[in-house]
Amino acid sequence: MNKVVLIALVCLRCTTAIASEGEAADSGKIDELNRKIHSGTILTTHLIKSHSVDVLIRPVRTVSNLFSFAFHTVGGLVKDSTLDALLFPRLDEQVEPVASLATGMDLAQWERDLDSITGTRRTTGTVDLLVDGEAFFERLTAEIARAQQSIRFRTYIFDNDDYALEIADQLKGRSREIPVEVLVDGVGTWGGG
């Protein structure tokens, strides 16, 4: 019922906007207005579904997710507060300047200290920073082509521009050979085609 009411309100708003432009409104303006209405309707539908309908369909999961979020949030705040109180010096205490350390920092000891403080352990790996789009998309398409076991692709925005269509076609082709999973954010991609 809420969806019908919202769509009716959007249509009423559109009728008002078209009437206010007068009879001389060209079809380009109307097409642009229709595109905006369509995009707004998609976003509104997504928000209604995710914040009301899903709660009714999956009440146990929704409550479970809420408790999990609250537990992790409170647990993180307690851990951070405890670490701050125990490990960091008070501001009124004298802190030795870093420049006075003639031998430099012992990075291995620093890693051990961090592991001890945080209760975690160091993991190995590398990070390649791909600064511009050309480097990123070239690397992305090469990695998709090179994948041998599976592809799990997660992105906030999957638009409908030339790059996105090329990547979508490549992922679709690879899905005939290996398992391919694509996870996109509903709000991040609502404007895409």
Side-chain angles (χ1 to χ4, degrees):
M1 184 68 174
N2 289 341
K3 193 185 301 186
V4 173
V5 171
L6 282 171
I7 291 172
L9 289 174
V10 169
C11 290
L12 178 63
R13 172 72 177 115
C14 295
T15 305
T16 306
I18 291 172
S20 68
E21 288 191 31
E23 297 296 322
D26 64 14
S27 66
K29 288 182 180 179
I30 293 173
D31 290 344
E32 177 66 17
L33 183 61
N34 285 335
R35 187 190 64 75
K36 287 179 180 179
I37 292 168
H38 179 69
S39 294
T41 304
I42 291 171
L43 178 61
T44 302
T45 302
H46 176 78
L47 291 174
I48 289 171
K49 182 179 180 296
S50 66
H51 289 83
S52 61
V53 175
D54 283 353
V55 174
L56 298 174
I57 293 172
R58 298 179 193 89
V60 174
R61 180 177 173 190
T62 302
V63 171
S64 170
N65 287 344
L66 177 63
F67 280 118
S68 176
F69 174 75
F71 176 76
H72 284 94
T73 301
V74 171
L77 289 173
V78 169
K79 181 179 176 183
D80 290 347
S81 299
T82 304
L83 288 175
D84 286 349
L86 296 175
L87 302 174
F88 295 108
R90 295 176 48 93
L91 292 177
D92 57 351
E93 295 177 9
Q94 182 64 30
V95 178
E96 183 179 343
V98 175
S100 68
L101 300 174
T103 60
M105 183 175 188
D106 181 358
L107 293 179
Q109 182 60 44
W110 172 247
E111 290 292 338
R112 288 190 295 275
D113 289 345
L114 284 177
D115 292 346
S116 172
I117 291 168
T118 62
T120 60
R121 61 173 219 243
R122 183 178 176 192
T123 58
T124 59
T126 60
V127 174
D128 293 330
L129 298 177
L130 304 174
V131 176
D132 61 359
E134 186 175 325
F136 172 77
F137 288 112
E138 183 178 307
R139 175 76 177 270
L140 177 62
T141 55
E143 293 296 331
I144 291 171
R146 191 177 7 250
Q148 295 177 359
Q149 294 180 348
S150 66
I151 297 172
R152 290 193 177 115
F153 187 82
R154 296 179 183 181
T155 184
Y156 178 67
I157 297 173
F158 204 116
D159 210 340
N160 61 353
D161 59 14
D162 293 341
Y163 282 112
L165 294 176
E166 179 183 327
I167 291 166
D169 289 341
Q170 187 182 17
L171 289 167
K172 183 178 177 182
R174 290 307 315 269
S175 71
R176 295 181 188 104
E177 305 161 7
I178 59 175
V180 174
E181 296 176 11
V182 178
L183 177 65
V184 296
D185 183 84
V187 175
T189 59
W190 71 272

